Amino acid sequence: AKGLTSFPKARVTSLGVSGSVLVATLVPKELDPFSSEPVGAVVAVSLSDGKARVLAGKQVRPAESGTDGKSAVWTAGYPSALSAVELAGGEPRSLFARGEGPVLLERGFVTFRHPVTGSPEVVRLALDGGEPLTLAKGEVDRLTQHGGDVWFSSGGTVSRVDSRGEHLALVAAA
């Protein structure tokens, strides 16, 4: 089947989509998944014309991408860090020294797991800077968001917290 674009020599390690743009992280197909070689890339694909362009190259283990249609965010490195770039152009920049996915991007804020040894947490950070805000602490398995609220699972429970880190509510328990 013919698609908008193809990456015949690459393995896609993550996807993010918003509006008319798809952001993907790629590594060479033959690359060892545990390699620390800077050979990965972050690309944007226009869903209207299929044109792809590299947003960031020479990435180590790029993964966990997201987009809001204006910016792209992803994790890369070993250990992984959180980076961002404007889709309109510009240089990639580091947002946070340590970050793990999933990476959620909405309304100018990125939400991700911060793997603090002994006390991991879910963090929310403005793309344009500012202090990080801890939304939840503990081993979080999955994240999603809707309308600014962040929903997360930990063990057999699902909880919700608002974008200010207030009003934590248990939604479901096993």
Side-chain angles (χ1 to χ4, degrees):
K2 183 166 168 60
L4 288 173
T5 193
S6 66
F7 304 106
K9 295 182 179 181
R11 182 174 65 245
V12 176
T13 57
S14 73
L15 296 171
V17 66
S18 180
S20 64
V21 66
L22 175 124
V23 171
T25 54
L26 310 170
V27 295
K29 273 186 182 177
E30 70 281 354
L31 186 71
D32 177 343
F34 300 105
S35 172
S36 293
E37 292 182 62
V39 294
V42 181
V43 299
V45 178
S46 167
L47 298 178
S48 56
D49 63 15
K51 290 184 181 171
R53 62 187 173 91
V54 176
L55 300 173
K58 298 182 181 177
Q59 300 290 298
V60 174
R61 298 184 194 178
E64 304 297 343
S65 60
T67 185
D68 60 1
K70 297 176 185 170
S71 300
V73 294
W74 67 96
T75 62
Y78 184 74
S80 60
L82 183 68
S83 297
V85 68
E86 300 299 316
L87 294 176
E91 292 296 315
R93 66 189 191 283
S94 176
L95 287 179
F96 212 73
R98 290 290 313 272
E100 293 179 349
V103 174
L104 309 173
L105 183 57
E106 184 179 60
R107 299 179 186 180
F109 290 89
V110 60
T111 303
F112 59 97
R113 291 188 304 183
H114 181 219
V116 179
T117 303
S119 181
E121 55 193 16
V122 175
V123 174
R124 183 175 176 95
L125 182 68
L127 279 176
D128 59 3
E131 292 296 314
L133 174 65
T134 298
L135 297 179
K137 291 187 178 244
E139 292 292 339
V140 171
D141 304 315
R142 304 282 180 250
L143 291 173
T144 191
Q145 64 188 22
H146 178 69
D149 288 350
V150 174
W151 301 67
F152 60 94
S153 66
S154 180
T157 66
V158 176
S159 299
R160 176 185 57 81
V161 64
D162 71 11
S163 62
R164 295 177 308 278
E166 301 171 356
H167 309 294
L168 177 65
L170 180 65
V171 176

